[in-house]
Amino acid sequence: MSDTGLRQKAARLRRAYAPHEHRPLGGYLVAMGAYAGVTGALAGLVKATGRPVPERPAPSDVVLLSIATHKLSRLLSKDAVTSPLRAPFTRYDHPIGSGEVMEQVRDSGSPTRHAIGELLSCPFCLAVWVATGLTGGLVLAPRLTRLVATALTAVAASDFLQMAYATAQQAAEGGHDDD
C-alpha cells in the first residue's frame, strides 16, 4: 500500500472513530510506542545488569509504590510548580486549590503534542508511566527507589493531614458562629 493510501485509510479511521471530535490517534500511537520503548529499555537494562526480578513483589512495596505513584503523578500533572514541564503542551485554565492547577490541552500543533498534553495533564494517565518507572527502579536500584517512594508517600500522607486539618479548622470556626 502506498504512503498516500495509508494516510487516506488512517484519515477514514479517525473520522469513523470520532466523527464529531478531534482525537489525535496518531499522537496516541506515538505515546504508546514511546511507552513500549521505555518499558523495553527498562527490561533490557534489567537483563544487561543481571538484576534478579522478584517472582512476587512484597506487599509492602506494592503499597509504598502505589502511594508514591499517586503522589508523583499528581505532582507532575497538577502541581503549579511543575507547570513549566507541561506548558509546551497545555494552557493554564484556573487554580483548583491545594497548590494545583487545571490546564487545557493545546489543540494547535501536532497530534503528538496534543497526546503528550493529555498525558501530562492527567494524573490517571501519567500513573501508568510513573508506576512503570518506580517498578523498574525497584529492580534496578531498590534502596534508592524505596527511599524516594518513602518521601513521596510521606508527602501524600502530609497532604491528607493538611486537608483534614483545614476541614477541622473550618468546622471549628463554623461552630463559633453559633455562640
Side-chain angles (χ1 to χ4, degrees):
M1 179 177 279
S2 72
D3 189 42
T4 305
L6 191 57
R7 285 184 190 171
Q8 289 173 346
K9 192 171 187 171
R12 281 194 306 270
L13 178 62
R14 273 194 304 276
R15 285 191 303 273
Y17 175 71
H20 305 294
E21 189 174 335
H22 172 66
R23 302 307 310 151
L25 297 182
Y28 295 152
L29 283 172
V30 170
M32 289 187 324
Y35 179 79
V38 167
T39 303
L42 275 173
L45 195 54
V46 168
K47 185 172 177 117
T49 60
R51 295 284 188 169
V53 176
E55 186 176 321
R56 189 173 297 123
S60 59
D61 283 335
V62 174
V63 171
L64 183 67
L65 293 190
S66 296
I67 297 169
T69 294
H70 164 79
K71 183 58 198 173
L72 187 54
S73 297
R74 286 212 70 86
L75 181 70
L76 292 172
S77 65
K78 294 293 180 187
D79 198 273
V81 175
T82 58
S83 60
L85 302 174
R86 299 182 305 273
F89 310 98
T90 62
R91 214 173 250 107
Y92 173 82
D93 194 350
H94 62 276
I96 55 175
S98 301
E100 293 187 341
V101 296
M102 179 59 69
E103 295 166 329
Q104 299 301 316
V105 174
R106 291 181 187 229
D107 280 327
S108 60
S110 74
T112 301
R113 181 183 190 184
H114 183 106
I116 293 170
E118 283 189 21
L119 175 66
L120 292 178
S121 62
C122 172
F124 298 97
C125 307
L126 202 52
V128 174
W129 291 69
V130 170
T132 300
L134 289 173
T135 302
L138 194 59
V139 173
L140 293 166
R143 290 177 65 183
L144 179 60
T145 301
R146 284 187 185 102
L147 182 64
V148 169
T150 297
L152 289 165
T153 298
V155 173
S158 175
D159 289 350
F160 283 103
L161 290 170
Q162 296 290 357
M163 289 181 213
Y165 182 87
T167 300
Q169 191 173 30
Q170 288 173 348
E173 289 170 0
H176 285 98
D177 292 341
D178 295 338
D179 292 342

